[in-house]
Amino acid sequence: MKFMVNELKELYRKNLFRQTQRLDGPQSPRTVIEGKECILLSSNNYLGLTEHPEVKETAKKAVESWGSGAGGSRLTTGNYALHEELEQEIAQFK
């Protein structure tokens, strides 16, 4: 346990201790982090799709139809028609 305390002290001393930042909004290209407006360059949401009205509405409909969360592996808990439809669309696209 003492070695962990020493490691933490060393991280603080070297100014390398990292903490999570509180987001006050969505992970959009421009967001608010701990009350300060920022450009967020580390998110996968660089296109801002998490806030797109059509994406949000479709997500709401999906939650109403399918629930929220995977529930389990397709192999052990079953396969949704939704998976098969997506696989067909991807196959046709490719």
Side-chain angles (χ1 to χ4, degrees):
M1 181 77 161
K2 186 177 179 181
F3 79 94
M4 290 180 4
V5 171
N6 290 337
E7 285 291 322
L8 282 173
K9 285 180 182 178
E10 190 64 14
L11 288 172
Y12 276 113
R13 187 184 71 72
K14 292 179 178 178
N15 201 26
L16 294 174
F17 184 78
R18 293 176 47 185
Q19 292 179 297
T20 58
Q21 304 293 311
R22 187 191 74 238
L23 292 172
D24 296 326
Q27 286 189 15
S28 57
R30 292 183 178 270
T31 193
V32 178
I33 300 175
E34 297 189 356
K36 181 180 177 185
E37 189 172 329
C38 299
I39 297 173
L40 185 60
L41 301 173
S42 58
S43 169
N44 290 331
N45 186 34
Y46 47 86
L47 297 176
L49 293 176
T50 62
E51 301 161 70
H52 190 283
E54 190 175 340
V55 172
K56 289 168 67 174
E57 189 58 38
T58 302
K60 289 177 191 174
K61 290 177 183 174
V63 168
E64 288 297 321
S65 297
W66 304 99
S68 62
S73 163
R74 291 167 62 184
L75 185 61
T76 60
T77 61
N79 194 44
Y80 287 121
L82 192 63
H83 291 129
E84 294 172 1
E85 290 171 23
L86 177 61
E87 288 167 349
Q88 288 299 316
E89 282 189 41
I90 292 171
Q92 288 174 3
F93 175 77
K94 286 194 75 121

